[in-house]
Amino acid sequence: MKNKQEILDVLQSHFGFDDFRPGQEETINALLEGKDTLSILPTGAGKSLLYQLPAYLLSGTILIVSPLISLMQDQVDRLHRQGEKRVIMLSGQLVGKERASVLRNLKSFKFVFTSPEMLDNQQVLTALKKNKVALMVIDEAHCISQWGPDFRPEYLLLKEVRQQLGSPTTLLLTATATPRIRQDILKKMGMATAYQVIKSVDRPNIFLAGQSVATQKEKDGELLKLIQKFTGPGIIYFASRKLASQMAEWLENQTDLNVAAYHAGVAPIERFRIQNQFMNNELQVICATSAFGMGIDKNDIRYVIHYHLPSNLENYLQEIGRAGRDGKQSLAVLLYANGDEMIQRQLTSVDVPPVTILEQIKNGKLSANILGEQASLFEFYLEHSFTPQQIIAMFERRKIQTEKELQEMVAYIKEDGCKRKYLLTYFGEQFDGPNEFCCDNELSNWSTKLVLPISQPIPENNKMGWENRLKALLNITEN
Ligand code: ADP
């Protein structure tokens, strides 16, 4: 049992923080007592610390399971920047001799990041079993629930993996989970008695606004007005890469602001440059797809505008949560033109009936109109011997679920009452408001009345050019 002072010393010496943020101390204490814990803390609350701090007080490996390479890479980079070198990412990218060597020397790593699929591999499991896993962390734990928008069937493997590892103390982490999903996460992991730390998803400093217009063209005018008034730093989300690029160019021409596009179609080195310029306040506005944001640790983002409807409220909350991490007044605007849900529907649905896809996969060829994500889900189900009937039933259910989520998103923008209340009720919370800094339904003509703090440019001597940062990162990875 660690005493409070010992824990605070690690907080200070390894992380340079004096106090905990809400939910951190409670989670860390529970984990150090060996309790399995589900922590639901909003974006920016400081979830990484929940497993990074115990790492320095527990003997053994910290195993972190994450759904995306980019998320893992971000955490690995952060630990490196904190001076922690005992970090490894076990992904499909690690192959051959290198992989064998890492698995042989697993003991020399304190933090092991990996994906659920990797843990399905006996070689990897055996190597992990030889070392003591002090803490198993399941990041983005909502991915285990079929009731959530981010369901990943690979996550279903984790219950058994955990048992095979001798049921180490486990931390389930997520930023958003409705009560139903919460229950489902615990059920699917077989952890019904886990200790729960749940903090409100509410971010009171983010003003919630919606702007309905008749046509897409009117939307452009609204957007222009907004970014001229609220100069940023800000993020504008688009459903398509092409439009993100076109609008970045248009907005840059129309205003004095520096605007850039960021999405998976932009070359990695260019993305790195844009991210750094944004961090240094050399760029005020980023026109992005949902590829931008995860792992962006900029605390003075003043607004997040959605040009298109997000696919569901979970994603919406996650994306607007990138604003105002410094606690200062910030803004989230959702632009909506009649029929926007059609665009979203086209992006998320497959027109080809599941039976046809199944046939195509069995014959080893897929037609071009099947989305990558959907195809890989099918492959997963087939590999893990689900029957065709089960697979089709799961896809049918998913389709109904996706449509329901979209309707809930549309209902948010059409809500006559308090938007914050709608959002919080959706996530199973009570709301005591409203107040005038709540949402557009409480403050009429908000765009003329709302004042956002002006972000200070970073002083010259604190700036580290992106080339230097890249060099620093490369140096670290070479070591
Ligand atoms: P989340 O994963 O919940 O979105 P992060 O782990 O990325 O949050 O942390 C967000 C930011 O908060 C990071 O810059 C982190 O260094 C900072 N942070 C975390 N815990 C504390 C703390 N106790 N005091 C001050 N800053 C903190």
Side-chain angles (χ1 to χ4, degrees), residues 17 19-21 24 42-49 78 297 325:
F17 302 141
D19 305 303
F20 284 110
R21 288 198 178 150
Q24 287 183 328
T43 313
K47 284 188 285 301
S48 324
L49 190 89
R78 274 214 232 171
D297 195 8
R325 286 184 176 204

